[in-house]
């Protein structure tokens, strides 16, 4: 008693001195050790730039209430270092504020620095300027790459250290990650790859953060870096730590899957997630991270190629930060069941046993008497009765029962007791009257209007430097063909093309997430003599994965015009004139300050046949304190801004297999709004009708338990 009393006072003294409790973080073969204590940790990914600082406290609080111990986030290099040596940690990019918010609520942080992160984030998190570093090859034993990777990693670690944010300094960071799923691409780099892995591990460890480093999906992670699992079923797929002294950690357990334009949402049930998390813990796992716990929004142009703007909306906290039930509640119940017996799990000896053909059990037993059992039914069809320690237990199909005392079942992964809910979208305002809107017509630039020329089709990204999604390819074509209606034949490596002949729209095409390249064959009416051909190429996010990201090719690769096989002209190597981006982007017409002067907004025109038009309206903030979403279901494709802040790209015309847009509702974070006089600007590529846009509030409604009858735990004796 006395020694405890004394310890408490000295600890209090320490807290007063350093402001927070310093913790020592190490690991053994069972788990991470915090101040020498083994821990089972539940972690949830929340990416700070995918929401707003105003949302962070409530997201973190809901994670904590759901039984989450650790918030995991990547660090997003491209937003932090937009130019070499120039840093931005403001607003949504305020990493220190995010980490401190987590700390204030008493949770830990896992910081996945990467700095390659993939994450369906444009260019996998690399700033585009990295592409233009002479001699660079990304993610291998390449000096220029290693220089910038070390430079940024050091910057982040130094920033965290100077704010005292690592656990040994009294901060919340208990774990860091270097690289990201490198094994997926390792083969492409030959022997240089393993030199790079060793270098990355050494470089990271040399930064002396005082907390362990992990490499996910890297079976050969060099000591002392811990290899960890990513996937949906790590309990089944993980080959385990590569040393008996390392714990079994799961850095990405996908709660759903990211969605692409043209794709359907991936619905992963609460029961399935709970089964695989429980199996992982039963098989010695001691750290599970939900990827994502809150997905959020790919605001601006931050999403990667073809990925929709809503990110992991199916996570336990939905895009708006609302509880997705019963997923959130069922996982909360699971966390409580496991925490109730974590001491035995961490100190006990594990044994496995067979309970039937498709049934097995894991038992953790302590010498001093504690006992925990996991009874597993792998049969997907049938309830099965098993015998365990002279009692019989009914196990639901494909489920695991947790017995914290080896006797009483307190949780079964397939028995959902949490309440269910449904999302309600309530219209707050529509914009159905033409006099609510103004428009600004984006012109079609012709060859003579461009100043930048080249005798070839240029690669899209290298030409725009990612300053815009858009690149105009323009050509002057002297028509001496013998036929009246020749065919224009276009090949593109990615992602979208719109064709104009003499200022008239003639057609367009696009690829998709899996097959990015596409061809376009269009009959065109041309004048005899000179014609203007202008093609608008567009990208929907940069690629984020695979080897040699720096060598990817996007944009037009071939343009031909033909009357017949014999009579055709290849225009690929003609003289092309280029314009990067749109005029409205250069004028920043979405910014209120700028739109007054140079931009002449006019009355709404004939909306049925308008291509490339900016639309503007104003609205009042809904009074109820609920999340806000714009229904852009009547639009075509483009990007939208509220008070100068981009709420992301939208793409309605790209339908899924059921004939619906992959995403019609677009989140407007509350902090983007003023009480009144909010300005909405929409850049529409074509085919959209602004009169159908509406502003909505989003909430959830608890649905009755009737559809989900509460089962009493089947555990007959
Ligand atoms: C990182 O690079 C910048 C220039 O890009 C330089 O100013 C800075 O000193 C470098 N930092 C380190 C730690 O090498
Ligand atoms: C769990 O760890 C114990 C050693 O503590 C080992 O005997 C057992 O094989 C491990 N189980 C699994 C499924 O890896
Ligand atoms: C225990 O687990 C090991 C490793 O997975 C397996 O080979 C063995 O058959 C299991 N034992 C029983 C009794 O199920
Ligand atoms: C399994 O048992 C539960 C609870 O008794 C029951 O509701 C359910 O219908 C059974 N399922 C099957 C596949 O027999
Ligand atoms: C199960 O019952 C048998 C006799 O019925 C007894 O010998 C045995 O000790 C019991 N086992 C447990 C684990 O209680
Ligand atoms: C739009 O709002 C007006 C006024 O609030 C209302 O009269 C009208 O019915 C609404 N139209 C649609 C299509 O919802
Ligand atoms: C990128 O563009 C520059 C000119 O701006 C050119 O020198 C370079 O070769 C291009 N690189 C690639 C990979 O196309
Ligand atoms: C048509 O014009 C191209 C140059 O634009 C020229 O190479 C070609 O010989 C001309 N063909 C005819 C039939 O005049
Ligand atoms: C082509 O574009 C130029 C520049 O805009 C214009 O002066 C010319 O009249 C156009 N030619 C045709 C055939 O439309
Ligand atoms: C265009 O020029 C490139 C580079 O000079 C050449 O490789 C290619 O064959 C040419 N394509 C056509 C269709 O002439
Ligand atoms: C490792 C793993 O479990 N991968 C799976 C992740 O989820 C995708 C999509 O459902 C599966 O195709 C993978 O097999
Ligand atoms: C100015 C001019 O001649 N414009 C013509 C360009 O070509 C389109 C057809 O592609 C004609 O409709 C225009 O009249």
């Amino acid at each position: 008693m006395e020694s405890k009393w004394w310890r408490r006072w000295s600890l209090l003294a320490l807290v007063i001195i350093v402001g927070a409790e310093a913790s020592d973080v190490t690991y053994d073969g069972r788990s991470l050790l915090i101040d020498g204590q083994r821990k089972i940790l539940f972690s949830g990914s929340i990416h700070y730039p995918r929401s707003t600082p105003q949302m962070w406290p409530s997201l973190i609080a809901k994670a904590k209430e759901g039984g989450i111990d650790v918030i995991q986030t990547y660090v997003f290099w491209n937003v932090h270092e937009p130019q070499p040596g120039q840093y931005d940690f403001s607003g949504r990019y305020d990493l220190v504020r995010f980490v401190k918010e987590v700390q204030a609520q008493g949770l830990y942080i896992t910081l996945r620095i990467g700095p390659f992160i993939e994450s369906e984030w444009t260019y996998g998190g690399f700033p585009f300027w990295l592409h233009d570093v002479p001699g660079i090859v990304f993610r291998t034993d390449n000096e220029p790459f290693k220089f910038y990777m070390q430079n940024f990693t050091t910057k982040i670690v130094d920033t965290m250290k100077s704010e005292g944010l690592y656990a040994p300094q009294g901060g919340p960071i208990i774990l860091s990650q270097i690289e990201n799923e490198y094994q997926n691409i390792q083969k492409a780099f030959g022997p240089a790859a393993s030199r790079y892995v060793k270098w990355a591990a050494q470089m990271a460890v040399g930064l002396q953060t005082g907390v362990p480093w992990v490499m996910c999906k890297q079976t050969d992670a060099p000591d002392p870096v811990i290899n960890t699992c990513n996937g949906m079923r790590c309990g089944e797929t993980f080959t385990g730590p590569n040393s008996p002294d390392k714990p079994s950690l799961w850095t990405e357990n996908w709660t759903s899957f990211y969605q692409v334009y043209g794709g359907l949402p991936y619905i992963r049930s609460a029961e399935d997630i709970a089964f695989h998390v429980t199996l992982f813990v039963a098989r010695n796992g001691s750290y599970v991270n939900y990827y994502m716990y809150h997905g959020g929004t790919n605001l601006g142009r931050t999403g990667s190629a073809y990925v929709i703007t809503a990110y992991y909306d199916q996570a336990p906290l939905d895009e708006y930060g609302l509880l997705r039930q019963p997923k959130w509640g069922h996982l909360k119940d699971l966390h409580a069941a496991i925490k109730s017996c974590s001491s035995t799990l961490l100190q006990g000896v594990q044994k496995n046993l067979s309970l039937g053909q498709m049934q097995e059990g894991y038992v953790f037993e302590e010498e001093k008497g504690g006992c925990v059992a996991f009874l597993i039914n792998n049969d997907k069809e049938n309830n099965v009765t098993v015998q365990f320690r002279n009692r019989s237990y009914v196990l639901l199909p494909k489920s695991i029962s947790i017995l914290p005392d080896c006797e009483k079942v307190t949780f079964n992964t397939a028995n959902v007791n949490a309440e269910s809910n449904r999302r309600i979208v309530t219209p707050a305002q529509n914009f159905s009257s033409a006099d609510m809107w103004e428009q600004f017509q984006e012109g079609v630039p012709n060859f003579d209007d461009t100043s930048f020329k080249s005798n070839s089709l240029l690669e899209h990204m290298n030409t725009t430097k990612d300053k815009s999604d858009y690149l105009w390819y323009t050509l002057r074509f002297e028509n001496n063909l013998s036929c009246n209606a020749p065919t224009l034949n276009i090949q593109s490596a990615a992602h979208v093309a719109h064709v104009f002949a003499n200022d008239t729209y003639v057609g367009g095409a696009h690829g998709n997430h899996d097959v990015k390249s596409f061809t376009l064959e269009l009959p065109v009416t041309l004048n005899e003599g000179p014609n203007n051909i202008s093609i608008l190429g567009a990208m929907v996010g940069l690629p984020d994965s695979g080897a040699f990201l720096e060598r990817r090719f996007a944009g037009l690769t071939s343009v031909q015009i033909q009357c017949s096989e014999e009579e055709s002209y290849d225009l690929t190597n003609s003289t092309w004139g280029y314009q990067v981006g749109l005029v409205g982007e250069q004028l920043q017409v979405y910014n209120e300050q700028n739109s007054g002067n140079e931009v002449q907004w006019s009355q709404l025109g004939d909306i049925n046949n308008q291509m490339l038009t900016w639309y503007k309206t104003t609205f009042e903030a809904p009074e109820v304190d609920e999340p806000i979403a714009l229904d852009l279901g009547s639009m075509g494709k483009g990007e939208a801004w509220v008070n100068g802040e981009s709420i992301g790209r939208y793409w309605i015309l790209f339908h899924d297999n059921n004939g619906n847009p992959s995403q019609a509702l677009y989140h407007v974070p509350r902090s983007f709004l003023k009480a009144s006089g909010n300005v909405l600007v929409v850049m529409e590529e074509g085919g959209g009708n602004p009169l159908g846009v509406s502003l909505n509030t989003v909430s959830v409604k608890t649905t009755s338990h009737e559809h989900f009858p509460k089962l009493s735990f089947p555990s007959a004796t």
Side-chain angles (χ1 to χ4, degrees), residues 477-481 567 569:
F477 178 66
E478 200 67 37
N479 182 21
N480 58 4
L481 293 166
E567 194 182 359
Y569 294 103

Side-chain angles (χ1 to χ4, degrees), residues 1 9 146 236 266 362 445 501 509 609:
M1 282 296 274
W9 276 105
K146 290 192 299 185
E236 291 169 357
Y266 184 96
Y362 289 90
N609 295 306

Side-chain angles (χ1 to χ4, degrees), residues 81 84-85 87 147-148 151 154:
E81 197 175 355
Y87 298 102
F147 171 81
Y148 285 104
N151 186 294
T154 307

